[in-house]
Amino acid sequence: MAHFQLEAELQDVMKLDSVPARGPIPRWQRKTADQRNRKVSIDASVIWSPQNIRKKVFSQSGTPSKSMLKKTDVLTPKKTPKKAPAKGTTNGSASPTKDVKNQGDRFIPNRALMDLDLSHFKVTHDEDQDEENIEENEDEGDNYKRAISERLNMAQQKDCKILAFKQQVPKAEEGFYNRNKVLYSSSKNAPSKTKGTRSIPQTAERILDAPELLDDFYLTLVDWSSQNILAVALRQAVYLWNANSKEIDHLLTLPGEDEYVSSVSWISEGNILAVGNSSGQVQLWDVETSKCLRNMEGHSGRVGALDWNYYIVTSGAGTGQIHHHDVRVADHHVATLENHTQQVCGLEWSPDGSYLASGGNDNVLNVWDASTSTGMAPLHSLTHHQAAVKAVSWCPWQTHLLSSGGGTADRMLRFWAVNTGTCLKTVDTGSQVSSILWSKEYREIISGHGFSQNQLTIWKYPSMDRVTNLKGHTNRVLTMCLSPDGETVASAAGDETLRFWHCFAQDTKKKTAKSVAAGEKKPRSLIAGKIR
């Protein structure tokens, strides 16, 4: 137990910010108390001041001065004593004061002269003051000690700073991404040998001109069919680009000069194209015969978003209304969903057809159940975004996972669990989000952006680490669509170009296995009847 007590005493002594709790009173404090009781004269205090001690004890050559040696009664004998000192005496004499000259053969300074603590105390305390001033000086001494303690233990202070710059570090430009972030964010426990990441081409593999492509954020002007045909709306006309043969066919042109195509969407089989226009109509076109099968009216504003759910085509208009059209029956309008106060710009059914996600210019994201009829409220009305919600996309491998993106004032990617209506994750992209696509091959998503970078960004999910940025467009990306094999992304931008990015190259072995499995599954079809 003794060594534990010794360690505790040593720790108390080594503390710089407090007086030791145990132990004798320091010698300099005892001397100060004795001097107060004896009322030492001013001359004595002057003699014992550090300045006079330094001047009188040591000369310029570093040796004690003779005047100071006399005052301190410490002398060096001129001759070595002939006889050895007797017991009980200092230099062999009967008493230590009889022979001052023979006190020793070396210089032994007075202990008080070498007491640095006492010297420092006398420098900071003036002994000419009365008792009240002495008490004030004691308080100043405590403040001095406290200040020293704070400087020595500044690492323990909350608001201390070792270095501080007069000017703050300049902020990075909007949309800046540090490519070396992975060097600092990698795990220490990660294995030394890691698989190399796949190579993603940084340039588009193909660029097509799209003259008169409307630079309107709220429209959906391109869509890719399951038969590998890309539909593109160029103001009044719709063109079809065959990705297999690379041929371009003209499908339709609206008759009115002020009319324009505002949205396009393919049915799952890829043979029927739904076309929405600025007059509020939804037309169904057979691409094989290039004939209009049906013209469905009902909206009083332009149709900016379309999507299919088996035999139901859903349209969102500029008035904020959403209509369900049953293409099997003559009376096609079967339901109206009303919860948006401004135009609907994002619309997508979940892969299993259970939920419908709609985003509007009122900054609201609504999730509707498939059984929702006219007049019923949405399953969830989410108001977290601070700008228009155009980008909505469902996860292909998780039924209840929905992603959404906000416009310029928001710039956030959000992920939702629609069964509970909770936000699972939020990511600040730094740019306007116009569209989102989920990869079929990798646990990744790709987002299209407008101001300020006009880029496409690939993200890992669920970590949301940025994989790469794909740049090339000189204006904001308006919309994107994925090829039927899931490897290529087509992006349409305000610079009137279509760019094709080979982002999600598949493994050959996995691709063969998937093609075999896909042949066993039946695609979505018009189960209950034909289009009338």
Side-chain angles (χ1 to χ4, degrees):
M1 298 299 294
H3 68 282
F4 291 113
Q5 183 177 0
L6 177 60
E7 290 181 0
E9 292 177 357
L10 289 175
Q11 291 179 359
D12 292 339
V13 171
M14 293 175 66
K15 289 183 178 178
L16 299 177
D17 55 346
S18 63
V19 180
R22 301 181 60 184
I25 300 174
R27 182 165 49 80
W28 63 271
Q29 291 184 357
R30 295 200 305 271
K31 289 188 177 183
T32 304
D34 293 338
Q35 289 176 2
R36 290 176 185 169
N37 296 333
R38 298 172 186 174
K39 297 182 180 179
V40 181
S41 62
I42 298 177
D43 295 335
S45 64
V46 173
I47 292 174
W48 289 108
S49 63
Q51 292 84 354
N52 292 337
I53 291 173
R54 190 178 295 106
K55 292 179 181 179
K56 296 179 180 180
V57 175
F58 298 99
S59 62
Q60 296 181 354
S61 60
T63 58
S65 61
K66 294 182 179 180
S67 59
M68 194 59 199
L69 291 176
K70 291 181 181 180
K71 289 183 179 181
T72 56
D73 293 333
V74 180
L75 301 176
T76 303
K78 296 181 179 179
K79 296 182 181 180
T80 305
K82 296 180 181 180
K83 297 182 180 180
K87 295 181 180 180
T89 62
T90 304
N91 294 323
S93 57
S95 63
T97 58
K98 287 184 179 180
D99 189 4
V100 178
K101 296 182 179 181
N102 297 326
Q103 286 184 1
D105 58 350
R106 59 192 176 89
F107 168 63
I108 303 176
N110 192 323
R111 182 80 178 199
L113 302 180
M114 304 302 293
D115 195 339
L116 299 179
D117 293 337
L118 178 59
S119 302
H120 181 72
F121 178 80
K122 289 185 176 296
V123 169
T124 57
H125 293 76
D126 189 1
E127 294 182 358
D128 295 339
Q129 299 176 349
D130 53 9
E131 293 297 332
E132 295 180 357
N133 293 334
I134 290 176
E135 293 179 357
E136 293 178 0
N137 288 339
E138 288 179 352
D139 295 337
E140 292 178 1
D142 295 338
N143 295 335
Y144 175 80
K145 293 178 182 178
R146 191 179 300 108
I148 292 295
S149 175
E150 291 177 358
R151 295 300 185 275
L152 293 175
N153 301 301
M154 63 186 306
Q156 300 177 2
Q157 304 295 327
K158 295 182 180 180
D159 56 346
C160 65
K161 292 183 179 179
I162 297 177
L163 293 176
F165 295 96
K166 294 182 179 179
Q167 297 180 355
Q168 297 296 330
V169 178
K171 294 182 179 180
E173 296 180 0
E174 187 173 10
F176 172 80
Y177 170 65
N178 184 9
R179 296 181 178 274
N180 296 325
K181 182 179 179 181
V182 67
L183 299 177
Y184 307 100
S185 60
S186 59
S187 173
K188 295 181 180 179
N189 298 326
S192 58
K193 295 182 179 180
T194 57
K195 292 183 179 180
T197 57
R198 72 184 190 280
S199 176
I200 301 177
Q202 297 298 303
T203 57
E205 65 177 5
R206 183 181 295 272
I207 301 175
L208 298 179
D209 289 332
E212 297 187 353
L213 181 72
L214 296 178
D215 185 8
D216 194 325
F217 178 79
Y218 304 100
L219 306 183
T220 307
L221 302 178
V222 296
D223 195 22
W224 211 326
S225 74
S226 58
Q227 295 184 4
N228 208 14
I229 297 177
L230 184 69
V232 184
L234 303 179
R235 195 172 289 276
Q236 295 176 299
V238 175
Y239 292 88
L240 305 178
W241 180 75
N242 192 319
N244 296 323
S245 61
K246 306 301 184 294
E247 295 179 356
I248 299 175
D249 296 324
H250 174 263
L251 180 64
L252 67 96
T253 299
L254 297 178
E257 295 182 358
D258 297 333
E259 288 184 314
Y260 57 88
V261 178
S262 54
S263 58
V264 292
S265 179
W266 289 98
I267 196 171
S268 59
E269 288 80 1
N271 59 338
I272 302 296
L273 178 67
V275 179
N277 58 34
S278 58
S279 301
Q281 300 173 347
V282 177
Q283 299 178 355
L284 302 181
W285 285 78
D286 186 350
V287 296
E288 295 179 358
T289 60
S290 298
K291 292 183 179 181
C292 180
L293 303 178
R294 192 165 189 176
N295 186 11
M296 298 179 292
E297 299 181 351
H299 288 294
S300 58
R302 67 178 184 178
V303 180
L306 289 170
D307 197 33
W308 288 83
N309 185 16
Y310 296 97
Y311 50 84
I312 298 293
V313 58
T314 303
S315 59
T319 59
Q321 292 183 338
I322 299 173
H323 290 179
H324 290 328
H325 307 274
D326 189 342
V327 299
R328 302 172 300 172
V329 297
D331 190 6
H332 58 87
H333 186 193
V334 295
T336 299
L337 308 180
E338 294 180 320
N339 194 56
H340 290 285
T341 58
Q342 297 186 35
Q343 63 177 322
V344 178
C345 50
L347 205 62
E348 184 169 328
W349 283 95
S350 61
D352 61 353
S354 301
Y355 302 100
L356 172 67
S358 64
N361 194 31
D362 53 1
N363 309 343
V364 177
L365 172 66
N366 289 323
V367 179
W368 310 84
D369 190 270
S371 60
T372 303
S373 60
T374 301
M376 294 181 62
L379 181 64
H380 301 292
S381 185
L382 309 171
T383 59
H384 296 64
H385 287 288
Q386 303 300 317
V389 184
K390 180 188 178 183
V392 291
S393 183
W394 293 89
C395 178
W397 63 82
Q398 279 186 284
T399 306
H400 298 91
L401 181 58
L402 173 66
S403 59
S404 61
T408 306
D410 183 71
R411 305 177 299 183
M412 306 296 289
L413 281 177
R414 296 183 183 272
F415 297 85
W416 310 89
V418 296
N419 53 344
T420 60
T422 58
C423 183
L424 303 177
K425 188 179 288 291
T426 302
V427 180
D428 187 356
T429 65
S431 300
Q432 177 191 48
V433 184
S434 60
S435 55
I436 305 172
L437 295 175
W438 290 81
S439 172
K440 299 178 181 179
E441 178 70 14
Y442 304 93
R443 296 290 174 124
E444 296 175 354
I445 66 171
I446 182 170
S447 56
H449 300 276
F451 178 82
S452 60
Q453 299 296 327
N454 307 324
Q455 85 279 18
L456 283 71
T457 303
I458 300 177
W459 310 82
K460 285 283 187 182
Y461 185 84
S463 65
M464 294 310 296
D465 294 330
R466 197 184 303 246
V467 178
T468 186
N469 287 333
L470 303 177
K471 297 183 179 181
H473 286 292
T474 58
N475 205 332
R476 61 181 177 179
V477 178
L478 299 173
T479 186
M480 299 187 305
C481 54
L482 191 65
S483 63
D485 60 4
E487 295 189 10
T488 305
V489 174
S491 60
D495 56 6
E496 297 185 347
T497 62
L498 291 173
R499 295 176 185 264
F500 297 84
W501 313 85
H502 195 250
C503 304
F504 307 113
Q506 296 181 356
D507 187 357
T508 306
K509 296 181 180 179
K510 292 183 179 180
K511 187 174 182 180
T512 303
K514 284 188 176 182
S515 61
V516 174
E520 300 175 356
K521 296 181 181 179
K522 294 182 179 180
R524 296 189 301 176
S525 61
L526 306 178
I527 299 174
K530 297 182 180 180
I531 298 176
R532 296 181 181 179

